[in-house]
């Protein structure tokens, strides 16, 4: 249930078997949110079943420290960097697993991922989040904290989604 990353004009996959754990976990809740917005309960039920499996597949990259690694390369090796956006999407995906799929272990996992973010990615001195934590555990201070690919989008959306899910869960 991993998703393809790149496709040609005829929808033939061109990503060569790369697995992006961040894109998978992000898609697991965005696809369900889209199906719910359509308002077709039959469609939503089908999409929900697949989204749970997509989320489970994404969590193959989940570490004991609460982080989600970046990707599995086409050659089977892993990029174990912990990118900021992957961690934010992991929190949201886990919260959606808890609220919409009633996966009880997902909530403590989301809390653990948030603790990882707070401890490793949030720059408490200068604000914003660092780009990533490298495989060796060092903070990547050389890539953008804000720029074309790095902005508060994932971070802010994570907070908004957690608040919305908390309201939904209380109902």
């Amino acid at each position: 249930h991993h998703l393809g990353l790149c496709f040609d004009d005829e929808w033939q996959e061109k990503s060569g078997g790369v697995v992006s754990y961040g894109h998978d976990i992000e898609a697991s809740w965005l696809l369900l949110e889209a199906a719910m917005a359509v308002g077709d309960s039959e469609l939503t039920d089908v999409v929900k079943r697949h989204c749970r499996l997509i989320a489970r597949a994404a969590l193959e990259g989940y570490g004991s420290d609460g982080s989600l690694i970046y990707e599995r390369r086409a050659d089977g090796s892993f990029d174990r960097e912990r990118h900021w956006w992957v961690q934010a999407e992991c929190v949201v995906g886990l919260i959606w697993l808890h609220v919409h799929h009633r996966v009880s272990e997902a909530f403590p996992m989301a809390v653990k991922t948030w603790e990882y973010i707070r401890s490793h990615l949030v720059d408490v001195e200068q604000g914003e989040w660092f780009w990533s934590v490298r495989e060796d555990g060092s903070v990547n201070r050389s890539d953008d904290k804000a720029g074309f690919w790095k902005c508060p989008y994932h971070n802010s959306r994570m907070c908004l989604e957690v608040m919305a899910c908390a309201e939904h869960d209380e109902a």
Side-chain angles (χ1 to χ4, degrees):
H1 273 84
H2 293 292
L3 304 178
L5 289 176
C6 303
F7 297 86
D8 65 18
D9 291 343
E10 282 77 42
W11 287 103
Q12 299 300 307
E13 188 175 356
K14 295 295 183 185
S15 44
V18 172
V19 170
S20 173
Y21 298 111
H23 287 104
D24 285 351
I25 197 72
E26 181 180 26
S28 76
W29 70 269
L30 280 174
L31 289 169
L32 180 54
E33 182 179 50
M36 291 165 62
V38 170
D40 179 333
S41 62
E42 193 173 309
L43 172 68
T44 299
D45 288 344
V46 170
V47 170
K48 187 174 184 176
R49 284 193 301 277
H50 287 284
C51 286
R52 183 177 178 146
L53 295 171
I54 293 167
R56 291 286 190 182
L59 292 174
E60 291 170 6
Y62 190 78
S64 61
D65 61 359
S67 67
L68 190 64
I69 64 173
Y70 190 59
E71 68 184 19
R72 185 181 70 216
R73 298 180 186 109
D75 66 4
S77 66
F78 293 91
D79 180 338
R80 297 184 186 280
E81 230 177 273
R82 274 69 167 183
H83 289 227
W84 96 96
W85 72 270
V86 175
Q87 308 320 308
E89 295 302 335
C90 186
V91 169
V92 178
L94 288 165
I95 292 294
W96 273 68
L97 273 174
H98 170 71
V99 171
H100 297 283
H101 300 275
R102 296 294 175 206
V103 176
S104 61
E105 68 268 19
F107 185 78
M109 291 170 71
V111 170
K112 191 169 189 174
T113 303
W114 169 241
E115 290 300 324
Y116 181 88
I117 291 167
R118 283 188 352 144
S119 300
H120 296 86
L121 289 169
V122 174
D123 182 351
V124 295
E125 294 176 10
Q126 307 223 351
E128 216 353 293
W129 295 11
F130 294 109
W131 183 276
S132 65
V133 173
R134 295 185 176 102
E135 185 172 355
D136 67 7
S138 64
V139 173
N140 177 352
R141 296 174 188 269
S142 57
D143 284 312
D144 293 338
K145 283 178 73 182
F148 183 73
W149 286 110
K150 172 78 169 68
C151 67
Y153 168 71
H154 292 279
N155 316 22
S156 300
R157 185 173 72 176
M158 177 196 75
C159 295
L160 294 169
E161 285 297 323
V162 169
M163 290 185 327
C165 283
E167 289 174 6
H168 180 272
D169 202 31
E170 290 173 359

